[in-house]
Amino acid sequence: MIAYLVLLLAVVSRLAPLQTHAWNFTAVGGSLLYFGARRSRWQAVIAMVVLAATDFYLTHFVYSYPFHVSGYLITWAWYAGVCLLGHALLSRNASFLRTSAAVLTSATSFFVISNFVVWMGSTLYAHSVAGLAACYAVALPFYGNDLVSTGLVAGALFGLPVLARKLAGFANPSNGSAAA
């Protein structure tokens, strides 16, 4: 149940306030990692469909752009891929190192893939190595924000329960987990 509430957090972070979403500071990456770690692999489809519906809503109703499914297929595959990454890396052992690797992989893959697609599919940048480099350079602030937001959300979702267990162990020394 908590994984579904976290997925809802991802949706809400994309909808309100829209200013934070415009700078790519959302709960999407961290929430997808958590959802994937806590749900079975096939449920990545559920997360993908929920976020795809959010993409449709934002594109059509908020931004008033025409919606073309083909323009989102790679993003939707990324949603599912991050859930699967969370499942593979974090479902059994969500250590600090594994969570950090998942956060870095999630944010970096989105940066690399989404900006490559922008470069390939638009006329904003020359279709050359210099144009690709310019596309990535302009997107660096968004990457930084995505890395920070993914790290904060994943850190909170995976780290706070560990911290709570440790604090509970210190509060209850009879269970043998606290230092004497």
Side-chain angles (χ1 to χ4, degrees):
M1 179 64 176
I2 292 174
Y4 286 98
L5 294 174
V6 169
L7 184 59
L8 180 62
L9 171 69
V11 170
V12 170
S13 75
R14 293 194 64 209
L15 298 176
L18 288 173
Q19 295 82 5
T20 59
H21 176 242
W23 283 97
N24 214 27
F25 200 91
T26 69
V28 172
S31 295
L32 289 173
L33 289 170
Y34 186 84
F35 189 87
R38 299 296 183 251
R39 307 305 306 169
S40 64
R41 285 189 307 255
W42 74 266
Q43 289 185 23
V45 173
I46 295 169
M48 183 188 69
V49 168
V50 167
L51 288 170
T54 307
D55 288 333
F56 174 77
Y57 174 80
L58 286 168
T59 302
H60 187 73
F61 295 107
V62 175
Y63 302 128
S64 299
Y65 292 135
F67 184 82
H68 303 287
V69 170
S70 62
Y72 289 90
L73 292 176
I74 292 174
T75 301
W76 297 342
W78 180 83
Y79 294 153
V82 173
C83 281
L84 295 174
L85 174 69
H87 187 80
L89 281 181
L90 305 171
S91 64
R92 289 183 200 89
N93 178 11
S95 68
F96 176 80
L97 184 60
R98 285 174 169 262
T99 303
S100 298
V103 165
L104 187 61
T105 302
S106 168
T108 303
S109 63
F110 185 77
F111 172 76
V112 170
I113 293 166
S114 65
N115 288 292
F116 184 79
V117 169
V118 166
W119 174 73
M120 284 292 297
S122 74
T123 58
L124 292 172
Y125 304 98
H127 287 175
S128 63
V129 173
L132 180 60
C135 181
Y136 283 124
V138 168
L140 279 173
F142 298 96
Y143 171 60
N145 290 345
D146 188 33
L147 190 57
V148 169
S149 63
T150 301
L152 287 173
V153 171
L157 292 170
F158 291 106
L160 288 177
V162 172
L163 179 62
R165 282 192 299 275
K166 287 189 184 284
L167 291 175
F170 284 117
N172 184 9
S174 64
N175 68 10
S177 63

